[in-house]
Structure formats: C-alpha cells, structure tokens
Amino acid sequence: MSARRTLDDLLERHGTTYADEAGIRLRDTPQPLYQLLVLSHLLSARIRAEIAVASARALFSHRLRTPRRMADAPWQERVDALGEGGYRRYDERTATQLGDGALVLLDVYGGDLRRLRREADGDTGTLRAGLRRFPGIGPAGADIFLREVQTVWPETAPHLDAKALQGAERLGLPTEPDRLVRLAKGEDPALLAAALVRGALDRG
C-alpha cells in the first residue's frame, strides 16, 4: 500500500481530535482554550484516552468549564466528576491540580490563554514553558495541547511530537514532519497529529 493510501485510510479511521471527542468546540476564545488545557492535563496521565475524554466531559457537565468555576468548585465536586468519568486512580491529586491550575491561569493570565500566546509571539519553546507552569502539565501535557491547538493557533503548526511520529513509524510512513504534512495535502495538522497518535496507540 502506498504511503498516501495508508495516510488516507488512517485519517478516515482516526481523523478526529481529542477535543472534538470531548465535546470542545475549539476556537481562539478563553473558554474552549481552557477546556483544552483541562483535557490535555487528563490525557497526559497514564490512563486510557477514552477515560480521560469521558472525565473531561464529566467535569464540563458539572459546569466546570472556566477557570473561575473550576477554582471556586469544592474539591470534592472535582473528585466526584472525575470519578464519574472513570478517572479514579489519580482523581484526588488531579482534583487538587485542576483547582491550583485554574488559580494560576486566573492570576498569571487573567483567565485567558491567549495572553500566553501573545507572550510567546510564535515561539513554541515559550509556549511550552508557559504551559508547564500549570500543575499537572508536564512535557506530555504540553505536547497534547500544542498538537490540538494548532487548528486555531496556526503559528504552532505543524506540531507533530514524538508520539505522533511514533505512529508514523509504526505505519511505515515518513517520520519527518514536513514530509508528512506534504503527504497529507492540506489536511488540518491537528487532525493529522491525532490520527497518527491513535495509530501509535492501536499498534502499541
């Protein structure tokens, strides 16, 4: 099978971002960007992606969709929402980190991640460092956020991290980001990245 055919099949099967799966209508506005930060935090733990997505949905169903609501919510409510999504192994620590992270976002960026974007001025390293200021967001969480946000922050594209490139290698596709983007022929790089990551997990 040609590389193009392999990639077309992969995008057809797995070309959905985790943000879409979690019900986040991603736009360059404060609320969905915050929701993506929460989702990235949950996905970065050693837990199945479907549980992380379900737990993000549960938090949002509790109306914990903004940093102010997250910070003001009782700790037990955050724990309970995570438990509803099946996120039980890390629920207590994560509930604390989500509350603390919401306060960091409010205190440092006025609740608006676009301020971090402006501060970075197109520099991915600065973006990554800013994201890692949030409790629970390490290298993996920063990569997840950057993979997904490139839809609305095009200066970060193409962001194909080690996990995405691992998927490409396992599928016999090129492992150079520029070659993958050319092969995808204008496909949204966030969809490309998500498909490659899911491909890596399928073969993991």
Side-chain angles (χ1 to χ4, degrees):
M1 185 183 294
S2 71
R4 177 64 200 180
R5 175 75 178 278
T6 298
L7 189 56
D8 284 345
D9 287 350
L10 181 70
L11 286 164
E12 185 174 344
R13 284 185 291 116
H14 294 307
T16 302
T17 65
Y18 288 105
D20 281 340
E21 192 177 340
I24 301 169
R25 297 180 61 185
L26 193 57
R27 300 184 301 278
D28 188 28
T29 55
Q31 183 168 306
L33 290 171
Y34 173 65
Q35 292 171 2
L36 178 58
L37 183 70
V38 170
L39 176 62
S40 300
H41 181 164
L42 300 179
L43 283 166
S44 66
R46 294 181 180 275
I47 202 161
R48 293 200 312 274
E50 57 266 31
I51 291 177
V53 168
S55 300
R57 283 183 168 274
L59 287 165
F60 304 152
S61 74
H62 279 250
R63 303 183 67 184
L64 305 181
R65 303 186 192 101
T66 68
R68 174 50 61 198
R69 285 188 178 276
M70 187 70 78
D72 289 347
W75 176 82
Q76 189 62 52
E77 182 178 1
R78 298 194 294 268
V79 171
D80 291 345
L82 290 167
E84 287 172 20
Y87 206 90
R88 295 185 179 88
R89 183 176 174 188
Y90 305 104
D91 55 352
E92 295 188 356
R93 182 182 68 184
T94 300
T96 298
Q97 290 174 334
L98 288 172
D100 291 346
L103 290 173
V104 170
L105 182 54
L106 290 165
D107 292 345
V108 178
Y109 299 110
D112 188 349
L113 282 165
R114 294 176 301 179
R115 294 190 183 184
L116 171 58
R117 182 188 187 186
R118 289 194 292 271
E119 179 182 287
D121 193 26
D123 182 73
T124 301
T126 302
L127 267 180
R128 188 186 299 277
L131 291 166
R132 293 189 63 183
R133 297 179 74 169
F134 298 101
I137 298 286
D143 270 331
I144 293 165
F145 185 91
L146 291 169
R147 282 200 315 254
E148 299 263 327
V149 85
Q150 59 189 324
T151 295
V152 294
W153 290 1
E155 71 275 13
T156 65
H159 188 80
L160 302 176
D161 65 344
K163 178 63 76 173
L165 297 179
Q166 181 184 52
E169 183 177 16
R170 287 179 174 173
L171 292 162
L173 293 168
T175 55
E176 298 81 14
D178 289 344
R179 287 185 64 193
L180 283 166
V181 169
R182 286 197 301 273
L183 192 62
K185 293 184 177 177
E187 185 63 75
D188 181 345
L191 293 177
L192 173 61
L196 290 168
V197 168
R198 292 173 193 273
L201 294 173
D202 271 359
R203 300 290 184 95

